[in-house]
Amino acid sequence: HTPSDPPSVPPTASCHDIGSYTGRLGMTCEHHATPLPCESYYQVGFSDDEVYQLIVNCPRTCGICASLTRPSLLQFVFKMQASAFFDRREEPAGTPRPTPAPTRRPSGAPTGVSVPSPRTCRDSLSYRTFMGLGCGKHRGLKCGIVTTMGFTPAQMTALMRNCPDSCGLCDD
C-alpha cells in the first residue's frame, strides 16, 4: 500500500463546525448546507440571535472560514455589531424602549395550500417533518419559503397543511 497524498490544505483548529450544535429546529450544521446563506436565515423567520448562533457554531458550513467577503454576511455582522453597541449604551432611567414595528400578515395562502376555517385551524398533533419535528418547532418560521432551507415543495405544502397555526395561516 502506498501512503495517500497529504491534504492540500492543512486543517485548522480555529475554524470548524461544533458537532454538538443544534438550533431551535433541531437542525445541525450539516442541515444548513443549503443554497440559502446562513446569514439570510432571518428571511425564513430565524431571529438575529438564532442566525448569530448558527454562524458562530457552524463557520465551516456557513463558509466564513476563509474570509468575510460576501456582502450579505458583512451586512449581518455589521448589524450585529451595531445592535450590540446600541444595547450597551446607557439610557436615562425611565426612558421607554421602542416597541417593535408590527409585521404584515400574509395577504392569503400560497397557491395550492388550503387554509382551514377559523374553527378548525389548528396544528396536527401527530405530524412530523422530514427532520422528525412537530409543528410547534416551526412556529415563527415563514413556512411558505422553507424550500430555501432544504424542504422540497411537497414537504413545504405538507408543513403548511398540517401546521396552519404555527405557520401563521389562521385568522385570529
mmCIF file of all heavy atoms in Angstrom, residues 12-62:
data_model
loop_
_atom_site.group_PDB
_atom_site.id
_atom_site.type_symbol
_atom_site.label_atom_id
_atom_site.label_comp_id
_atom_site.label_asym_id
_atom_site.label_seq_id
_atom_site.Cartn_x
_atom_site.Cartn_y
_atom_site.Cartn_z
ATOM 1 N N THR A 12 -7.459 23.431 10.123
ATOM 2 C CA THR A 12 -7.218 24.480 11.110
ATOM 3 C C THR A 12 -8.007 24.157 12.356
ATOM 4 O O THR A 12 -9.129 23.677 12.290
ATOM 5 C CB THR A 12 -7.667 25.854 10.577
ATOM 6 O OG1 THR A 12 -9.063 25.807 10.342
ATOM 7 C CG2 THR A 12 -6.937 26.237 9.308
ATOM 8 N N ALA A 13 -7.385 24.413 13.484
ATOM 9 C CA ALA A 13 -8.058 24.151 14.757
ATOM 10 C C ALA A 13 -9.076 25.235 15.057
ATOM 11 O O ALA A 13 -10.008 25.033 15.815
ATOM 12 C CB ALA A 13 -7.034 24.060 15.876
ATOM 13 N N SER A 14 -8.922 26.405 14.431
ATOM 14 C CA SER A 14 -9.776 27.526 14.781
ATOM 15 C C SER A 14 -11.066 27.593 13.963
ATOM 16 O O SER A 14 -11.985 28.300 14.332
ATOM 17 C CB SER A 14 -9.009 28.833 14.620
ATOM 18 O OG SER A 14 -8.638 28.996 13.269
ATOM 19 N N CYS A 15 -11.152 26.907 12.853
ATOM 20 C CA CYS A 15 -12.344 27.027 12.019
ATOM 21 C C CYS A 15 -12.950 25.659 11.735
ATOM 22 O O CYS A 15 -12.558 24.980 10.781
ATOM 23 C CB CYS A 15 -12.026 27.753 10.716
ATOM 24 S SG CYS A 15 -13.539 28.222 9.841
ATOM 25 N N HIS A 16 -13.872 25.277 12.569
ATOM 26 C CA HIS A 16 -14.582 24.009 12.383
ATOM 27 C C HIS A 16 -15.975 24.145 12.983
ATOM 28 O O HIS A 16 -16.210 24.968 13.855
ATOM 29 C CB HIS A 16 -13.813 22.855 13.030
ATOM 30 C CG HIS A 16 -13.664 23.014 14.517
ATOM 31 N ND1 HIS A 16 -12.687 23.800 15.086
ATOM 32 C CD2 HIS A 16 -14.391 22.517 15.542
ATOM 33 C CE1 HIS A 16 -12.808 23.770 16.406
ATOM 34 N NE2 HIS A 16 -13.831 23.013 16.710
ATOM 35 N N ASP A 17 -16.886 23.357 12.463
ATOM 36 C CA ASP A 17 -18.250 23.348 12.990
ATOM 37 C C ASP A 17 -18.271 22.642 14.343
ATOM 38 O O ASP A 17 -17.522 21.698 14.568
ATOM 39 C CB ASP A 17 -19.188 22.620 12.022
ATOM 40 C CG ASP A 17 -19.386 23.385 10.714
ATOM 41 O OD1 ASP A 17 -19.043 24.576 10.645
ATOM 42 O OD2 ASP A 17 -19.902 22.766 9.764
ATOM 43 N N ILE A 18 -19.128 23.103 15.211
ATOM 44 C CA ILE A 18 -19.312 22.483 16.517
ATOM 45 C C ILE A 18 -20.274 21.304 16.337
ATOM 46 O O ILE A 18 -21.440 21.499 16.013
ATOM 47 C CB ILE A 18 -19.879 23.491 17.554
ATOM 48 C CG1 ILE A 18 -19.026 24.753 17.632
ATOM 49 C CG2 ILE A 18 -20.058 22.830 18.914
ATOM 50 C CD1 ILE A 18 -17.595 24.532 18.050
ATOM 51 N N GLY A 19 -19.765 20.108 16.517
ATOM 52 C CA GLY A 19 -20.552 18.901 16.260
ATOM 53 C C GLY A 19 -21.794 18.772 17.118
ATOM 54 O O GLY A 19 -22.779 18.169 16.709
ATOM 55 N N SER A 20 -21.786 19.345 18.298
ATOM 56 C CA SER A 20 -22.929 19.212 19.206
ATOM 57 C C SER A 20 -23.998 20.284 18.978
ATOM 58 O O SER A 20 -25.047 20.250 19.613
ATOM 59 C CB SER A 20 -22.448 19.295 20.655
ATOM 60 O OG SER A 20 -21.809 20.546 20.887
ATOM 61 N N TYR A 21 -23.762 21.215 18.056
ATOM 62 C CA TYR A 21 -24.719 22.299 17.834
ATOM 63 C C TYR A 21 -26.021 21.790 17.218
ATOM 64 O O TYR A 21 -26.023 21.042 16.256
ATOM 65 C CB TYR A 21 -24.126 23.368 16.898
ATOM 66 C CG TYR A 21 -25.149 24.389 16.443
ATOM 67 C CD1 TYR A 21 -25.567 25.396 17.293
ATOM 68 C CD2 TYR A 21 -25.727 24.315 15.184
ATOM 69 C CE1 TYR A 21 -26.523 26.325 16.890
ATOM 70 C CE2 TYR A 21 -26.676 25.244 14.769
ATOM 71 C CZ TYR A 21 -27.072 26.235 15.632
ATOM 72 O OH TYR A 21 -28.015 27.137 15.232
ATOM 73 N N THR A 22 -27.124 22.207 17.806
ATOM 74 C CA THR A 22 -28.452 22.046 17.199
ATOM 75 C C THR A 22 -29.219 23.317 17.498
ATOM 76 O O THR A 22 -29.196 23.817 18.620
ATOM 77 C CB THR A 22 -29.245 20.840 17.744
ATOM 78 O OG1 THR A 22 -29.344 20.950 19.162
ATOM 79 C CG2 THR A 22 -28.608 19.523 17.364
ATOM 80 N N GLY A 23 -29.859 23.860 16.488
ATOM 81 C CA GLY A 23 -30.642 25.077 16.649
ATOM 82 C C GLY A 23 -32.045 24.783 17.129
ATOM 83 O O GLY A 23 -32.385 23.644 17.472
ATOM 84 N N ARG A 24 -32.873 25.808 17.122
ATOM 85 C CA ARG A 24 -34.253 25.704 17.617
ATOM 86 C C ARG A 24 -35.040 24.613 16.915
ATOM 87 O O ARG A 24 -35.882 23.951 17.503
ATOM 88 C CB ARG A 24 -34.947 27.057 17.431
ATOM 89 C CG ARG A 24 -36.438 27.030 17.735
ATOM 90 C CD ARG A 24 -37.062 28.403 17.717
ATOM 91 N NE ARG A 24 -36.938 29.093 16.466
ATOM 92 C CZ ARG A 24 -37.937 29.225 15.588
ATOM 93 N NH1 ARG A 24 -39.107 28.708 15.821
ATOM 94 N NH2 ARG A 24 -37.748 29.895 14.470
ATOM 95 N N LEU A 25 -34.773 24.387 15.642
ATOM 96 C CA LEU A 25 -35.499 23.368 14.895
ATOM 97 C C LEU A 25 -34.849 21.993 14.987
ATOM 98 O O LEU A 25 -35.255 21.073 14.308
ATOM 99 C CB LEU A 25 -35.592 23.771 13.417
ATOM 100 C CG LEU A 25 -36.343 25.061 13.134
ATOM 101 C CD1 LEU A 25 -36.271 25.398 11.655
ATOM 102 C CD2 LEU A 25 -37.778 24.948 13.585
ATOM 103 N N GLY A 26 -33.815 21.878 15.800
ATOM 104 C CA GLY A 26 -33.108 20.611 15.900
ATOM 105 C C GLY A 26 -32.164 20.390 14.735
ATOM 106 O O GLY A 26 -31.678 19.284 14.527
ATOM 107 N N MET A 27 -31.898 21.440 13.975
ATOM 108 C CA MET A 27 -31.037 21.329 12.809
ATOM 109 C C MET A 27 -29.578 21.465 13.223
ATOM 110 O O MET A 27 -29.217 22.365 13.965
ATOM 111 C CB MET A 27 -31.390 22.408 11.773
ATOM 112 C CG MET A 27 -32.764 22.244 11.172
ATOM 113 S SD MET A 27 -33.268 23.631 10.111
ATOM 114 C CE MET A 27 -32.197 23.411 8.705
ATOM 115 N N THR A 28 -28.752 20.550 12.719
ATOM 116 C CA THR A 28 -27.314 20.610 12.959
ATOM 117 C C THR A 28 -26.676 21.483 11.882
ATOM 118 O O THR A 28 -27.342 21.918 10.948
ATOM 119 C CB THR A 28 -26.702 19.201 12.897
ATOM 120 O OG1 THR A 28 -26.848 18.713 11.553
ATOM 121 C CG2 THR A 28 -27.370 18.246 13.872
ATOM 122 N N CYS A 29 -25.369 21.676 11.986
ATOM 123 C CA CYS A 29 -24.657 22.445 10.957
ATOM 124 C C CYS A 29 -24.865 21.818 9.588
ATOM 125 O O CYS A 29 -25.100 22.516 8.595
ATOM 126 C CB CYS A 29 -23.168 22.508 11.286
ATOM 127 S SG CYS A 29 -22.791 23.467 12.780
ATOM 128 N N GLU A 30 -24.815 20.513 9.528
ATOM 129 C CA GLU A 30 -24.963 19.797 8.255
ATOM 130 C C GLU A 30 -26.302 20.110 7.583
ATOM 131 O O GLU A 30 -26.382 20.230 6.369
ATOM 132 C CB GLU A 30 -24.827 18.294 8.504
ATOM 133 C CG GLU A 30 -24.766 17.470 7.257
ATOM 134 C CD GLU A 30 -24.519 16.003 7.575
ATOM 135 O OE1 GLU A 30 -23.405 15.682 8.013
ATOM 136 O OE2 GLU A 30 -25.456 15.198 7.390
ATOM 137 N N HIS A 31 -27.362 20.256 8.376
ATOM 138 C CA HIS A 31 -28.680 20.584 7.820
ATOM 139 C C HIS A 31 -28.697 21.953 7.144
ATOM 140 O O HIS A 31 -29.556 22.231 6.315
ATOM 141 C CB HIS A 31 -29.763 20.581 8.908
ATOM 142 C CG HIS A 31 -30.128 19.223 9.393
ATOM 143 N ND1 HIS A 31 -29.944 18.843 10.705
ATOM 144 C CD2 HIS A 31 -30.652 18.153 8.759
ATOM 145 C CE1 HIS A 31 -30.346 17.597 10.854
ATOM 146 N NE2 HIS A 31 -30.778 17.150 9.686
ATOM 147 N N HIS A 32 -27.769 22.820 7.542
ATOM 148 C CA HIS A 32 -27.736 24.180 6.998
ATOM 149 C C HIS A 32 -26.873 24.297 5.749
ATOM 150 O O HIS A 32 -26.678 25.401 5.242
ATOM 151 C CB HIS A 32 -27.268 25.165 8.071
ATOM 152 C CG HIS A 32 -28.264 25.350 9.166
ATOM 153 N ND1 HIS A 32 -29.419 26.078 9.012
ATOM 154 C CD2 HIS A 32 -28.296 24.872 10.429
ATOM 155 C CE1 HIS A 32 -30.114 26.054 10.142
ATOM 156 N NE2 HIS A 32 -29.457 25.325 11.012
ATOM 157 N N ALA A 33 -26.378 23.200 5.243
ATOM 158 C CA ALA A 33 -25.607 23.221 3.997
ATOM 159 C C ALA A 33 -26.592 23.262 2.829
ATOM 160 O O ALA A 33 -26.781 22.289 2.107
ATOM 161 C CB ALA A 33 -24.688 22.007 3.919
ATOM 162 N N THR A 34 -27.266 24.402 2.683
ATOM 163 C CA THR A 34 -28.287 24.609 1.657
ATOM 164 C C THR A 34 -27.886 25.810 0.809
ATOM 165 O O THR A 34 -26.957 26.535 1.166
ATOM 166 C CB THR A 34 -29.666 24.889 2.297
ATOM 167 O OG1 THR A 34 -29.620 26.161 2.935
ATOM 168 C CG2 THR A 34 -30.054 23.815 3.298
ATOM 169 N N PRO A 35 -28.603 26.045 -0.281
ATOM 170 C CA PRO A 35 -28.284 27.229 -1.093
ATOM 171 C C PRO A 35 -28.505 28.558 -0.350
ATOM 172 O O PRO A 35 -27.947 29.572 -0.732
ATOM 173 C CB PRO A 35 -29.243 27.124 -2.280
ATOM 174 C CG PRO A 35 -29.605 25.684 -2.358
ATOM 175 C CD PRO A 35 -29.583 25.185 -0.944
ATOM 176 N N LEU A 36 -29.308 28.559 0.712
ATOM 177 C CA LEU A 36 -29.562 29.782 1.466
ATOM 178 C C LEU A 36 -28.363 30.074 2.369
ATOM 179 O O LEU A 36 -28.032 29.267 3.235
ATOM 180 C CB LEU A 36 -30.824 29.634 2.317
ATOM 181 C CG LEU A 36 -31.259 30.855 3.131
ATOM 182 C CD1 LEU A 36 -31.697 31.985 2.192
ATOM 183 C CD2 LEU A 36 -32.388 30.483 4.073
ATOM 184 N N PRO A 37 -27.681 31.214 2.184
ATOM 185 C CA PRO A 37 -26.550 31.534 3.053
ATOM 186 C C PRO A 37 -27.002 31.642 4.506
ATOM 187 O O PRO A 37 -28.114 32.110 4.789
ATOM 188 C CB PRO A 37 -26.056 32.893 2.542
ATOM 189 C CG PRO A 37 -26.652 33.053 1.183
ATOM 190 C CD PRO A 37 -27.919 32.252 1.177
ATOM 191 N N CYS A 38 -26.170 31.224 5.427
ATOM 192 C CA CYS A 38 -26.532 31.221 6.847
ATOM 193 C C CYS A 38 -27.037 32.574 7.326
ATOM 194 O O CYS A 38 -27.996 32.649 8.082
ATOM 195 C CB CYS A 38 -25.341 30.787 7.693
ATOM 196 S SG CYS A 38 -24.835 29.075 7.414
ATOM 197 N N GLU A 39 -26.387 33.650 6.880
ATOM 198 C CA GLU A 39 -26.771 34.980 7.351
ATOM 199 C C GLU A 39 -28.133 35.421 6.824
ATOM 200 O O GLU A 39 -28.691 36.410 7.279
ATOM 201 C CB GLU A 39 -25.710 36.019 6.977
ATOM 202 C CG GLU A 39 -25.569 36.277 5.496
ATOM 203 C CD GLU A 39 -24.618 35.344 4.773
ATOM 204 O OE1 GLU A 39 -24.172 34.323 5.359
ATOM 205 O OE2 GLU A 39 -24.324 35.615 3.606
ATOM 206 N N SER A 40 -28.715 34.662 5.905
ATOM 207 C CA SER A 40 -30.017 35.007 5.338
ATOM 208 C C SER A 40 -31.161 34.198 5.944
ATOM 209 O O SER A 40 -32.304 34.320 5.501
ATOM 210 C CB SER A 40 -29.988 34.796 3.816
ATOM 211 O OG SER A 40 -29.038 35.657 3.233
ATOM 212 N N TYR A 41 -30.899 33.401 6.956
ATOM 213 C CA TYR A 41 -31.958 32.592 7.567
ATOM 214 C C TYR A 41 -33.024 33.443 8.252
ATOM 215 O O TYR A 41 -34.108 32.969 8.556
ATOM 216 C CB TYR A 41 -31.383 31.550 8.532
ATOM 217 C CG TYR A 41 -31.117 30.234 7.836
ATOM 218 C CD1 TYR A 41 -30.026 30.072 6.997
ATOM 219 C CD2 TYR A 41 -31.976 29.168 7.995
ATOM 220 C CE1 TYR A 41 -29.798 28.876 6.338
ATOM 221 C CE2 TYR A 41 -31.757 27.964 7.346
ATOM 222 C CZ TYR A 41 -30.669 27.825 6.523
ATOM 223 O OH TYR A 41 -30.459 26.645 5.875
ATOM 224 N N TYR A 42 -32.732 34.720 8.487
ATOM 225 C CA TYR A 42 -33.770 35.602 9.038
ATOM 226 C C TYR A 42 -34.946 35.690 8.066
ATOM 227 O O TYR A 42 -36.076 35.925 8.465
ATOM 228 C CB TYR A 42 -33.203 36.998 9.345
ATOM 229 C CG TYR A 42 -32.913 37.810 8.103
ATOM 230 C CD1 TYR A 42 -33.892 38.631 7.556
ATOM 231 C CD2 TYR A 42 -31.686 37.723 7.460
ATOM 232 C CE1 TYR A 42 -33.636 39.347 6.388
ATOM 233 C CE2 TYR A 42 -31.419 38.436 6.312
ATOM 234 C CZ TYR A 42 -32.392 39.240 5.776
ATOM 235 O OH TYR A 42 -32.144 39.933 4.633
ATOM 236 N N GLN A 43 -34.692 35.465 6.772
ATOM 237 C CA GLN A 43 -35.749 35.551 5.765
ATOM 238 C C GLN A 43 -36.813 34.472 5.948
ATOM 239 O O GLN A 43 -37.925 34.624 5.455
ATOM 240 C CB GLN A 43 -35.160 35.452 4.357
ATOM 241 C CG GLN A 43 -34.271 36.617 4.003
ATOM 242 C CD GLN A 43 -33.575 36.434 2.662
ATOM 243 O OE1 GLN A 43 -33.551 35.350 2.089
ATOM 244 N NE2 GLN A 43 -32.998 37.506 2.170
ATOM 245 N N VAL A 44 -36.459 33.382 6.612
ATOM 246 C CA VAL A 44 -37.441 32.321 6.855
ATOM 247 C C VAL A 44 -37.926 32.320 8.300
ATOM 248 O O VAL A 44 -38.569 31.377 8.734
ATOM 249 C CB VAL A 44 -36.906 30.924 6.450
ATOM 250 C CG1 VAL A 44 -36.705 30.836 4.958
ATOM 251 C CG2 VAL A 44 -35.644 30.569 7.195
ATOM 252 N N GLY A 45 -37.599 33.382 9.052
ATOM 253 C CA GLY A 45 -38.160 33.522 10.390
ATOM 254 C C GLY A 45 -37.194 33.321 11.535
ATOM 255 O O GLY A 45 -37.603 33.389 12.690
ATOM 256 N N PHE A 46 -35.912 33.070 11.273
ATOM 257 C CA PHE A 46 -34.955 32.951 12.366
ATOM 258 C C PHE A 46 -34.719 34.340 12.957
ATOM 259 O O PHE A 46 -34.693 35.331 12.238
ATOM 260 C CB PHE A 46 -33.613 32.399 11.868
ATOM 261 C CG PHE A 46 -33.587 30.910 11.656
ATOM 262 C CD1 PHE A 46 -34.599 30.249 10.985
ATOM 263 C CD2 PHE A 46 -32.522 30.164 12.105
ATOM 264 C CE1 PHE A 46 -34.560 28.887 10.779
ATOM 265 C CE2 PHE A 46 -32.468 28.792 11.905
ATOM 266 C CZ PHE A 46 -33.489 28.151 11.250
ATOM 267 N N SER A 47 -34.522 34.417 14.268
ATOM 268 C CA SER A 47 -34.201 35.694 14.906
ATOM 269 C C SER A 47 -32.734 36.018 14.633
ATOM 270 O O SER A 47 -31.949 35.150 14.240
ATOM 271 C CB SER A 47 -34.437 35.607 16.419
ATOM 272 O OG SER A 47 -33.461 34.745 17.013
ATOM 273 N N ASP A 48 -32.359 37.275 14.871
ATOM 274 C CA ASP A 48 -30.957 37.659 14.705
ATOM 275 C C ASP A 48 -30.051 36.806 15.587
ATOM 276 O O ASP A 48 -28.972 36.397 15.174
ATOM 277 C CB ASP A 48 -30.748 39.133 15.046
ATOM 278 C CG ASP A 48 -31.248 40.065 13.951
ATOM 279 O OD1 ASP A 48 -31.530 39.586 12.829
ATOM 280 O OD2 ASP A 48 -31.355 41.278 14.216
ATOM 281 N N ASP A 49 -30.498 36.538 16.820
ATOM 282 C CA ASP A 49 -29.681 35.732 17.722
ATOM 283 C C ASP A 49 -29.529 34.306 17.197
ATOM 284 O O ASP A 49 -28.445 33.720 17.292
ATOM 285 C CB ASP A 49 -30.281 35.719 19.133
ATOM 286 C CG ASP A 49 -29.366 35.005 20.115
ATOM 287 O OD1 ASP A 49 -28.198 35.440 20.250
ATOM 288 O OD2 ASP A 49 -29.803 34.013 20.732
ATOM 289 N N GLU A 50 -30.601 33.744 16.636
ATOM 290 C CA GLU A 50 -30.503 32.386 16.080
ATOM 291 C C GLU A 50 -29.541 32.357 14.889
ATOM 292 O O GLU A 50 -28.756 31.413 14.743
ATOM 293 C CB GLU A 50 -31.881 31.887 15.661
ATOM 294 C CG GLU A 50 -32.772 31.571 16.838
ATOM 295 C CD GLU A 50 -34.216 31.305 16.442
ATOM 296 O OE1 GLU A 50 -34.727 31.931 15.503
ATOM 297 O OE2 GLU A 50 -34.843 30.456 17.103
ATOM 298 N N VAL A 51 -29.569 33.389 14.049
ATOM 299 C CA VAL A 51 -28.647 33.464 12.915
ATOM 300 C C VAL A 51 -27.218 33.607 13.422
ATOM 301 O O VAL A 51 -26.302 32.938 12.941
ATOM 302 C CB VAL A 51 -29.012 34.631 11.962
ATOM 303 C CG1 VAL A 51 -27.959 34.815 10.886
ATOM 304 C CG2 VAL A 51 -30.375 34.388 11.323
ATOM 305 N N TYR A 52 -27.034 34.449 14.419
ATOM 306 C CA TYR A 52 -25.704 34.645 15.000
ATOM 307 C C TYR A 52 -25.166 33.329 15.567
ATOM 308 O O TYR A 52 -24.020 32.955 15.322
ATOM 309 C CB TYR A 52 -25.779 35.716 16.092
ATOM 310 C CG TYR A 52 -24.479 35.910 16.826
ATOM 311 C CD1 TYR A 52 -23.438 36.627 16.245
ATOM 312 C CD2 TYR A 52 -24.282 35.377 18.091
ATOM 313 C CE1 TYR A 52 -22.237 36.799 16.907
ATOM 314 C CE2 TYR A 52 -23.090 35.543 18.762
ATOM 315 C CZ TYR A 52 -22.069 36.262 18.166
ATOM 316 O OH TYR A 52 -20.886 36.417 18.821
ATOM 317 N N GLN A 53 -26.000 32.617 16.325
ATOM 318 C CA GLN A 53 -25.574 31.330 16.894
ATOM 319 C C GLN A 53 -25.228 30.326 15.795
ATOM 320 O O GLN A 53 -24.274 29.553 15.919
ATOM 321 C CB GLN A 53 -26.654 30.762 17.816
ATOM 322 C CG GLN A 53 -26.834 31.546 19.102
ATOM 323 C CD GLN A 53 -25.566 31.609 19.923
ATOM 324 O OE1 GLN A 53 -24.819 30.639 20.048
ATOM 325 N NE2 GLN A 53 -25.300 32.777 20.482
ATOM 326 N N LEU A 54 -25.997 30.336 14.713
ATOM 327 C CA LEU A 54 -25.715 29.455 13.580
ATOM 328 C C LEU A 54 -24.333 29.755 13.003
ATOM 329 O O LEU A 54 -23.521 28.852 12.794
ATOM 330 C CB LEU A 54 -26.796 29.625 12.509
ATOM 331 C CG LEU A 54 -26.555 28.939 11.163
ATOM 332 C CD1 LEU A 54 -26.456 27.433 11.320
ATOM 333 C CD2 LEU A 54 -27.668 29.310 10.191
ATOM 334 N N ILE A 55 -24.049 31.022 12.771
ATOM 335 C CA ILE A 55 -22.765 31.401 12.174
ATOM 336 C C ILE A 55 -21.606 31.087 13.119
ATOM 337 O O ILE A 55 -20.576 30.565 12.693
ATOM 338 C CB ILE A 55 -22.779 32.900 11.786
ATOM 339 C CG1 ILE A 55 -23.754 33.110 10.626
ATOM 340 C CG2 ILE A 55 -21.389 33.393 11.414
ATOM 341 C CD1 ILE A 55 -24.050 34.565 10.313
ATOM 342 N N VAL A 56 -21.776 31.362 14.398
ATOM 343 C CA VAL A 56 -20.716 31.112 15.375
ATOM 344 C C VAL A 56 -20.438 29.616 15.525
ATOM 345 O O VAL A 56 -19.293 29.189 15.624
ATOM 346 C CB VAL A 56 -21.083 31.730 16.743
ATOM 347 C CG1 VAL A 56 -20.177 31.236 17.847
ATOM 348 C CG2 VAL A 56 -21.044 33.243 16.653
ATOM 349 N N ASN A 57 -21.495 28.807 15.517
ATOM 350 C CA ASN A 57 -21.338 27.366 15.727
ATOM 351 C C ASN A 57 -21.041 26.580 14.455
ATOM 352 O O ASN A 57 -20.566 25.451 14.541
ATOM 353 C CB ASN A 57 -22.590 26.799 16.406
ATOM 354 C CG ASN A 57 -22.656 27.177 17.857
ATOM 355 O OD1 ASN A 57 -21.893 26.674 18.664
ATOM 356 N ND2 ASN A 57 -23.535 28.116 18.193
ATOM 357 N N CYS A 58 -21.319 27.156 13.301
ATOM 358 C CA CYS A 58 -21.146 26.442 12.031
ATOM 359 C C CYS A 58 -20.328 27.272 11.033
ATOM 360 O O CYS A 58 -20.744 27.461 9.886
ATOM 361 C CB CYS A 58 -22.507 26.097 11.433
ATOM 362 S SG CYS A 58 -23.616 25.201 12.525
ATOM 363 N N PRO A 59 -19.154 27.757 11.409
ATOM 364 C CA PRO A 59 -18.413 28.630 10.499
ATOM 365 C C PRO A 59 -17.998 27.945 9.198
ATOM 366 O O PRO A 59 -18.011 28.563 8.135
ATOM 367 C CB PRO A 59 -17.198 29.064 11.318
ATOM 368 C CG PRO A 59 -17.029 27.993 12.348
ATOM 369 C CD PRO A 59 -18.427 27.521 12.650
ATOM 370 N N ARG A 60 -17.647 26.669 9.264
ATOM 371 C CA ARG A 60 -17.232 25.971 8.033
ATOM 372 C C ARG A 60 -18.435 25.813 7.098
ATOM 373 O O ARG A 60 -18.361 26.128 5.927
ATOM 374 C CB ARG A 60 -16.623 24.611 8.357
ATOM 375 C CG ARG A 60 -16.137 23.885 7.098
ATOM 376 C CD ARG A 60 -15.235 22.710 7.391
ATOM 377 N NE ARG A 60 -14.002 23.036 8.073
ATOM 378 C CZ ARG A 60 -12.929 23.584 7.491
ATOM 379 N NH1 ARG A 60 -12.951 23.881 6.231
ATOM 380 N NH2 ARG A 60 -11.848 23.830 8.193
ATOM 381 N N THR A 61 -19.563 25.343 7.628
ATOM 382 C CA THR A 61 -20.773 25.184 6.818
ATOM 383 C C THR A 61 -21.234 26.533 6.267
ATOM 384 O O THR A 61 -21.670 26.616 5.126
ATOM 385 C CB THR A 61 -21.902 24.554 7.662
ATOM 386 O OG1 THR A 61 -21.500 23.239 8.045
ATOM 387 C CG2 THR A 61 -23.206 24.477 6.894
ATOM 388 N N CYS A 62 -21.103 27.573 7.072
ATOM 389 C CA CYS A 62 -21.550 28.906 6.650
ATOM 390 C C CYS A 62 -20.547 29.586 5.723
ATOM 391 O O CYS A 62 -20.825 30.678 5.222
ATOM 392 C CB CYS A 62 -21.819 29.779 7.880
ATOM 393 S SG CYS A 62 -23.258 29.211 8.831
#
